[in-house]
């Protein structure tokens, strides 16, 4: 049976992102489908990592018993790491694109401390949603829930291929290098690119196609 392949989009992104579309088209040429769960649904305001894990669990179950390949971008990379540890043999391998490995650590979050305090006080704040090209409200429970997880120290055994831009201003390349350095199952490629990695998509596809034995 064919391994199902899932693309896990980043924070305030969408299942129709540029990277998802690019990789999906190339996988289709190989006769494969790219499944792209929409983690904004049913309500972006109530988004949490726990909800994302539960949604991914259901999506994988719906596509049969074969171990899945997870391609995760930014926060989607965080999700892929957590899923690999949580779901074990149900995950075959990972491709991580600028993974937010320090996401749940103090000082590495979405906002500076003073804005976090405001978020806590108000219970919700607007965030620019790149998928919708508009501001969307997000509840403070997203922040609170994130501290249930520690992607940087998460242990998983599946092989992982990581692509990280050297000029990324959202995810510190040094933290991704440190994450990969102590894991023999992780292969890191540093690219002359920013967080979006759009200029490196041909190089990423070359690596992914080899990693998935498509060439």
């Amino acid at each position: 049976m064919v391994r199902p392949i899932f693309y896990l989009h980043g924070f305030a992104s969408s299942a129709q992102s540029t990277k998802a579309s690019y990789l999906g088209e190339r996988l289709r040429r190989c006769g494969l489908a790219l499944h792209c769960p929409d983690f904004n649904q049913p309500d972006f305001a109530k988004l949490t990592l726990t909800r994302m894990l539960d949604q991914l669990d259901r999506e994988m179950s719906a596509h049969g018993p074969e171990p899945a390949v997870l391609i995760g971008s930014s926060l989607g990379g965080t999700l892929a790491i957590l899923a690999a540890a949580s779901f074990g043999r149900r995950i075959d391998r990972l491709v991580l694109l600028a993974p937010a490995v320090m996401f749940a650590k103090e000082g590495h979050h979405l906002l500076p401390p003073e804005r976090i305090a405001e978020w806590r006080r108000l219970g919700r704040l607007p965030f620019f949603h790149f998928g919708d090209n508009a501001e969307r409200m997000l509840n403070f429970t997203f922040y609170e829930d994130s501290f249930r997880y520690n992607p940087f120290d998460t242990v998983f055994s599946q092989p992982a291929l990581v692509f990280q831009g050297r000029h990324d201003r959202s995810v510190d390349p040094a933290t991704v290098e440190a994450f990969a350095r102590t894991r023999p199952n992780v292969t890191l490629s540093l690219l002359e690119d920013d967080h979006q990695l759009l200029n490196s998509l041909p190089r990423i596809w070359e690596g992914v196609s080899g990693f998935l034995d498509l060439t």
Side-chain angles (χ1 to χ4, degrees):
M1 295 179 68
V2 176
R3 296 167 297 183
I5 306 173
F6 292 88
Y7 180 86
L8 314 180
H9 68 75
F11 175 76
S13 183
S14 78
Q16 291 80 42
S17 70
T18 301
K19 288 191 287 288
S21 299
Y22 182 94
L23 294 171
E25 173 58 30
R26 276 141 190 84
L27 286 166
R28 279 191 292 274
R29 295 176 189 174
C30 298
L32 299 171
L34 182 63
H35 307 291
C36 302
D38 186 351
F39 296 109
N40 300 300
Q41 299 300 322
D43 182 1
F44 178 73
K46 297 178 181 178
L47 178 70
T48 64
L49 269 171
T50 298
R51 190 183 87 177
M52 293 170 74
L53 273 168
D54 291 343
Q55 183 175 344
L56 178 59
D57 186 8
R58 294 192 301 271
E59 294 272 355
M60 291 194 306
S61 296
H63 285 88
E66 285 296 302
V69 175
L70 303 182
I71 303 175
S73 174
S74 195
L75 182 61
T78 305
L79 177 63
I81 292 165
L82 299 174
S86 297
F87 304 145
R89 294 180 180 178
R90 296 174 63 196
I91 308 299
D92 178 68
R93 60 192 60 206
L94 310 177
V95 176
L96 307 176
L97 310 175
V101 295
M102 298 293 282
F103 180 72
K105 298 282 190 180
E106 291 283 2
H108 291 270
H109 225 288
L110 299 169
L111 298 171
E114 62 273 14
R115 290 283 283 161
I116 295 291
E118 181 184 14
W119 198 5
R120 178 182 286 108
R121 179 173 59 83
L122 296 175
R124 51 174 21 200
L125 278 183
F127 287 82
F128 186 80
H129 195 290
F130 295 93
D132 293 343
N133 196 33
E135 286 197 333
R136 295 285 181 263
M137 301 300 292
L138 180 63
N139 293 345
F140 187 69
T141 50
F142 176 81
Y143 179 82
E144 293 177 308
D145 177 80
S146 73
F147 289 101
R148 296 178 57 187
Y149 305 100
N150 182 1
F152 186 84
D153 294 324
T154 294
V155 176
F156 60 96
S157 60
Q158 299 90 335
L161 182 62
V162 182
F163 295 96
Q164 173 62 45
R166 295 182 186 273
H167 312 293
D168 192 329
R169 295 186 178 182
S170 298
V171 172
D172 183 356
T175 64
V176 178
E177 288 186 86
F179 173 83
R181 189 178 301 122
T182 59
R183 292 172 167 83
N185 56 317
V186 173
T187 301
L188 171 63
S189 291
L190 290 171
L191 306 171
E192 297 300 328
D193 211 336
D194 59 15
H195 185 63
Q196 295 299 316
L197 296 173
L198 298 183
N199 292 329
S200 300
L201 285 175
R203 168 67 185 86
I204 290 170
W205 170 246
E206 179 184 1
V208 169
S209 59
F211 188 57
L212 300 185
D213 300 319
L214 302 180
T215 56

